[in-house]
Amino acid sequence: MKPEDKLGELMEAQEAALEAHRVHGSMDVLTAQLNEAHTKARVDYIGHNSMESFKDEGDANIEVCESQRRMSARNGPDIGVKFATPEMIAAYHEYARIRDEAARDAARTKIGQELAQQKCTWGEKQGTYNYRDYYAEAHGKTWDDAVRRWTTP
């Protein structure tokens, strides 16, 4: 999802807020409604895109598990699955047992949710930030930059 995808919702909220201002004559009502609409759209955007990022991370972990499985079948080395929790491995095995798109999507979601709770292992936020915070910050910055572009003449 792009920030622009939420622009329509913000425009509708702005129109409703302007109408409330015309009816009630209060800038406080207008400001409160616009702030509420912006906050909701921002939270929705960050939540949606963070979940998509977690699913992508889950997909990457599934691919590592698949590579490990193929290598083991050929008596190759154990490359391990970095950061894997028992829940992540169980989600992969459930997918590997069923092998359909619904099972893969469930596995990538579960693995992504597990990863979201883990602490970052690199960068300046190492050990202090979990991946949920990391992605929320990144997607929040993208949102804020887009809003600045929309509102700067």
Side-chain angles (χ1 to χ4, degrees):
M1 172 188 298
K2 298 178 201 161
E4 294 81 7
D5 296 338
K6 300 299 277 182
L7 182 58
E9 290 177 30
L10 285 175
M11 301 279 286
E12 289 173 16
Q14 183 176 1
E15 287 300 317
L18 287 170
E19 181 60 27
H21 173 62
R22 282 192 283 277
V23 171
H24 301 289
S26 169
M27 283 304 288
D28 293 339
V29 171
L30 174 65
T31 302
Q33 286 183 334
L34 289 174
N35 286 340
E36 182 181 336
H38 176 265
T39 299
K40 181 184 180 320
R42 186 178 191 275
V43 167
D44 289 350
Y45 172 81
I46 291 170
H48 173 83
N49 285 316
S50 292
M51 191 64 233
E52 289 303 309
S53 294
F54 299 141
K55 284 181 173 183
D56 290 345
E57 294 284 358
D59 224 10
N61 275 274
I62 289 171
E63 290 303 317
V64 170
C65 290
E66 291 286 286
S67 295
Q68 176 62 55
R69 183 185 56 77
R70 287 189 298 273
M71 290 172 76
S72 292
R74 295 184 183 116
N75 295 320
D78 181 355
I79 60 172
V81 181
K82 198 173 186 179
F83 313 120
T85 65
E87 293 83 3
M88 292 165 79
I89 298 297
Y92 167 72
H93 285 298
E94 181 65 13
Y95 158 69
R97 185 178 66 75
I98 300 171
R99 293 220 178 262
D100 68 13
E101 284 305 308
R104 186 175 184 104
D105 192 53
R108 43 189 306 253
T109 299
K110 178 64 176 166
I111 292 168
Q113 289 170 336
E114 287 292 320
L115 181 66
Q117 298 173 40
Q118 294 185 15
K119 296 286 185 190
C120 287
T121 56
W122 46 267
E124 63 187 46
K125 312 255 188 214
Q126 181 175 358
T128 61
Y129 239 41
N130 64 29
Y131 285 100
R132 183 177 315 284
D133 297 336
Y134 171 79
Y135 279 111
E137 183 178 282
H139 293 304
K141 182 179 179 334
T142 300
W143 173 267
D144 295 341
D145 290 348
V147 168
R148 263 192 295 286
R149 285 192 310 273
W150 296 336
T151 57
T152 303

